[in-house]
Amino acid sequence: MLNLRRRCCAIFIFCILITSILTACQTEQKVSRNDEEALKEIVVASSTDVEIDKLDAISSKGLMQAYPLIYDSLVEYGEKGEIVPKLAETWDISADGRTYTFYLRKGVKFSDGTPFNSEAVKFSVQRWANKPEYSWLNVAKNIEDVEIIDDYTIKMTFNSRYYLTLTEFTYPRPFRIISPSAVEPVGDPNGKFIKAIGTGPWKVEKYIKNDKTIFTINHYYWGEKPKIDRLIIKVIPDPQTRVFALQNEEIDIAGGQMGSIPIESLDIIQKSNRLKVLSNPGTTSYLLMFNNDNELFKDVRVRKAINYAIDKENIAVNLFNNIGSKAQGLFQPTVPYVTKQNNKGYEFNPQKAIELLKQSGWEDSDGDNVLDKDGKPFKISLVLQVEEFPEWKSICEVIQSDLAKIGIDVDLKLLESAAYYDSIWKKRDYDLVIYRTYSDGWNPYSFLISLFYSDDGNSAVAYGDEKLNKLIDQVLTVSNEKDRQQVYDKIFKFMYDEAVCVPIYYCDEIFVINNNISGFEFGSTTYLPVIWNNLDLK
């Protein structure tokens, strides 16, 4: 009987212990789940994958807006091109403009805890210096030497003066600073990229290809740390699907070049009590480029006529609901060296367009509402794509209609993104093509030299002229801002006088956010479109 009581007592105590353990586990699980739920996270849409496994600081792959999340630059691009400190607190430039000495921020660590110093900067520089794939960048092409002065001072020498040296250092790639431990062998500039490790505010927690990338706080970050725990970039390639995802609260933010919103959806979004549309003047313009190899466009009167024929105000007001504005000259007023005086454009004047075409020999001789000359009708193609810029289809349909009213028959050629860029850069098989200027530090010089400059006997991609070439070359030879402004004034005047393109629309940066988001602030570049660190949840 006594043994039975002892066994019952033991069983009772065992049950209590088991119950206590299970209760403790359940409590621990509950706390863990609550902690998980308490994490602040914001989901942002992107049209393309981050490709974090390829997001090397010197790579040209992956989502451009992801680079500044992980990697800092020596200096950063501010408003109207102002250069502001980042990893370099100060810098000196030699009298001849060839030597730059950077004084680095102290006490900074990479996200893996390794130190940031002059050695890390030299390692990063050696990965891009004088490499053929970066020869289009003057900094990479012209660097002669990189010298460590001490742990936090580094000197770089270039073979010529280049006024955009600091501007190029702000680019999202390849000049950002990466940890020597991000490659194998560690510290080898020619080593294999293993992992994205920078000094930026974020590091990668999880990556699911073509689905999402989860960023968490880099607790070693030297600056003001993010206010949320996770920033999730969700891949949603289709623009309309991004709108549905916003409406269904699957995502919190969409917009900018990383995940544009269809213009036609803005009316519906603005009526929602859960969503908010925010816009900010950008540095990008939409334009039509002429194929200068086409004989039709070698007559300046034809180029001017097309400028006069397009109702840009109608596009800005009725397509974009007054978000952004009609274009004057090629570049927005937010771009360096653009002033009220040099930013001239052609007004909407269809009658003037008809007169200019008549002067150049174009008339409707057979009454079919299409102009002809020497037996040939004025029929041209207009190439576009909508994967990256869904609004281009609506813009081009308005342009098609406007040009039809003055007797020009336009065939819209909608291409996939890859074929579209091949048409511009490789085949050059377009008549007109809708395009956009670059943004931020790439304007105005880098855009001009890539599209409107002829070199090595090749035609310019868009419009080329020997006088324009000389003016673009001259920009790099002047050593002070006043003289450089005068050269840009001449460049912009020449482009207006010769009607080298058709500026259409000045883009605003447009974002749609969930109303539970607080602290939203626009960044100063398209690759840092939002001050992500300031975002919070109400």
Side-chain angles (χ1 to χ4, degrees):
M1 188 71 172
L2 182 62
N3 288 338
L4 179 61
R5 286 176 179 173
R6 285 174 179 170
R7 284 198 298 270
C8 290
C9 184
I11 292 170
F12 177 71
I13 292 170
F14 177 75
C15 289
I16 290 174
L17 286 172
I18 291 297
T19 303
S20 299
I21 291 169
L22 289 173
T23 302
C25 288
Q26 288 172 350
T27 302
E28 184 179 347
Q29 289 175 357
K30 184 176 182 181
V31 170
S32 176
R33 282 197 298 270
N34 285 342
D35 285 348
E36 183 74 15
E37 290 169 3
L39 287 175
K40 292 182 179 181
E41 59 182 38
I42 290 176
V43 184
V44 183
S46 171
S47 61
T48 58
D49 187 32
V50 169
E51 293 188 277
I52 200 68
D53 54 332
K54 300 175 183 176
L55 211 73
D56 187 351
I58 63 169
S59 173
S60 59
K61 298 177 180 178
L63 182 69
M64 188 178 294
Q65 288 78 13
Y67 283 80
L69 298 177
I70 296 174
Y71 304 115
D72 285 325
S73 50
L74 290 173
V75 292
E76 200 61 87
Y77 188 92
E79 187 176 350
K80 196 78 171 179
E82 178 191 5
I83 303 300
V84 297
K86 199 68 173 182
L87 287 177
E89 291 186 304
T90 59
W91 52 89
D92 293 329
I93 306 173
S94 62
D96 64 1
R98 293 178 54 239
T99 301
Y100 288 70
T101 304
F102 295 97
Y103 303 94
L104 306 178
R105 195 178 295 276
K106 297 178 181 178
V108 176
K109 291 183 179 181
F110 289 97
S111 61
D112 63 348
T114 55
F116 162 77
N117 50 31
S118 296
E119 287 283 357
V121 174
K122 183 174 182 177
F123 162 77
S124 295
V125 170
Q126 288 174 326
R127 300 185 74 227
W128 49 255
N130 304 124
K131 299 292 176 67
E133 58 266 40
Y134 309 118
S135 61
W136 61 281
L137 294 162
N138 279 275
V139 165
K141 179 175 65 176
N142 295 333
I143 191 165
E144 285 185 342
D145 187 42
V146 53
E147 177 186 354
I148 293 175
I149 306 302
D150 59 39
D151 283 351
Y152 296 100
T153 309
I154 193 162
K155 182 167 70 174
M156 300 183 207
T157 303
F158 301 87
N159 60 27
S160 61
R161 177 194 295 272
Y162 178 52
Y163 87 93
L164 288 172
T165 294
L166 289 175
T167 300
E168 285 197 3
F169 273 122
T170 71
Y171 290 178
R173 53 195 184 198
F175 302 123
R176 303 219 157 209
I177 307 302
I178 188 171
S179 171
S181 61
V183 303
E184 288 184 355
V186 172
D188 181 355
N190 298 311
K192 180 183 178 182
F193 171 73
I194 301 299
K195 186 178 181 182
I197 303 174
T199 60
W202 302 90
K203 63 180 181 179
V204 179
E205 178 183 281
K206 188 176 182 180
Y207 170 60
I208 303 174
K209 189 173 181 63
N210 292 321
D211 180 18
K212 64 183 176 183
T213 305
I214 301 175
F215 294 90
T216 56
I217 298 172
N218 168 18
H219 291 288
Y220 291 108
Y221 183 54
W222 55 271
E224 185 178 348
K225 291 182 174 60
K227 294 179 174 60
I228 57 172
D229 302 291
R230 286 179 178 152
L231 183 69
I232 301 172
I233 297 183
K234 175 75 175 172
V235 182
I236 306 178
D238 179 64
Q240 199 57 55
T241 304
R242 291 196 284 274
V243 175
F244 294 147
L246 282 165
Q247 293 171 326
N248 296 333
E249 298 186 315
E250 296 171 25
I251 60 174
D252 302 296
I253 300 176
Q257 291 190 9
M258 67 186 292
S260 61
I261 296 297
I263 294 299
E264 60 270 19
S265 299
L266 290 181
D267 271 347
I268 297 173
I269 291 170
Q270 286 170 328
K271 294 173 183 176
S272 169
N273 57 9
R274 295 202 312 266
L275 300 172
K276 185 186 301 182
V277 178
L278 303 171
S279 64
N280 192 54
T283 53
T284 299
S285 309
Y286 292 164
L287 67 145
L288 292 184
M289 295 194 307
F290 300 108
N291 187 334
N292 205 38
D293 289 340
N294 187 325
E295 288 296 325
L296 282 174
F297 302 128
K298 291 186 176 180
D299 188 332
V300 67
R301 293 170 296 188
V302 172
R303 299 196 300 270
K304 287 184 177 181
I306 292 175
N307 269 275
Y308 280 121
I310 297 172
D311 190 351
K312 303 167 192 175
E313 184 78 22
N314 174 41
I315 290 171
V317 172
N318 294 319
L319 289 186
F320 291 92
N321 297 311
N322 284 314
I323 297 175
S325 59
K326 71 172 185 178
Q328 297 291 327
L330 174 59
F331 297 106
Q332 290 213 40
T334 51
V335 171
Y337 304 105
V338 175
T339 67
K340 288 183 178 181
Q341 291 72 32
N342 66 26
N343 194 30
K344 295 176 65 177
Y346 293 88
E347 74 274 14
F348 177 53
N349 191 336
Q351 189 55 45
K352 181 68 174 176
I354 292 169
E355 291 171 4
L356 285 168
L357 290 170
K358 187 173 183 179
Q359 291 172 19
S360 60
W362 290 96
E363 293 185 350
D364 181 10
S365 62
D366 55 8
D368 65 350
N369 295 321
V370 177
L371 298 176
D372 55 83
K373 181 179 179 181
D374 300 328
K376 294 181 179 179
F378 202 139
K379 293 186 177 183
I380 55 176
S381 64
L382 170 52
V383 170
L384 67 147
Q385 58 117 329
V386 295
E387 291 171 46
E388 296 173 289
F389 304 97
E391 63 272 23
W392 279 2
K393 185 172 186 293
S394 298
I395 292 174
C396 289
E397 287 171 347
V398 171
I399 291 170
Q400 181 187 45
S401 175
D402 285 344
L403 294 183
K405 293 171 185 175
I406 64 167
I408 297 176
D409 186 359
V410 178
D411 175 35
L412 301 185
K413 291 179 64 175
L414 178 60
L415 303 180
E416 292 183 353
S417 179
Y420 165 85
Y421 286 112
D422 282 348
S423 182
I424 296 170
W425 297 103
K426 294 181 179 179
K427 298 179 181 179
R428 302 197 67 229
D429 57 354
Y430 65 88
D431 296 321
L432 292 174
V433 61
I434 188 169
Y435 199 56
R436 87 282 187 243
T437 64
Y438 303 152
S439 55
D440 317 319
W442 284 280
N443 287 335
Y445 178 79
S446 295
F447 183 77
L448 291 174
I449 203 165
S450 64
L451 275 300
F452 295 95
Y453 187 86
S454 312
D455 61 351
D456 300 327
N458 299 317
S459 298
V461 174
Y463 176 92
D465 182 274
E466 185 177 345
K467 183 177 179 181
L468 185 56
N469 263 21
K470 289 179 178 178
L471 287 171
I472 293 173
D473 285 336
Q474 189 181 347
V475 164
L476 296 185
T477 66
V478 296
S479 58
N480 65 75
E481 286 294 302
K482 182 179 178 181
D483 292 343
R484 191 174 296 118
Q485 179 67 65
Q486 291 177 354
V487 177
Y488 272 115
D489 289 343
K490 292 177 182 177
I491 289 173
F492 297 151
K493 183 178 186 305
F494 178 90
M495 297 183 79
Y496 168 77
D497 290 343
E498 294 298 319
V500 303
C501 63
V502 187
I504 299 293
Y505 172 71
Y506 292 154
C507 310
D508 273 7
E509 285 286 305
I510 301 172
F511 273 86
V512 178
I513 69 172
N514 194 309
N515 272 338
N516 69 343
I517 300 291
S518 65
F520 184 96
E521 182 181 348
F522 280 98
S524 57
T525 62
T526 52
Y527 42 88
L528 187 59
V530 177
I531 308 299
W532 304 109
N533 295 15
N534 290 352
L535 292 177
D536 205 347
L537 294 172
K538 295 177 182 177

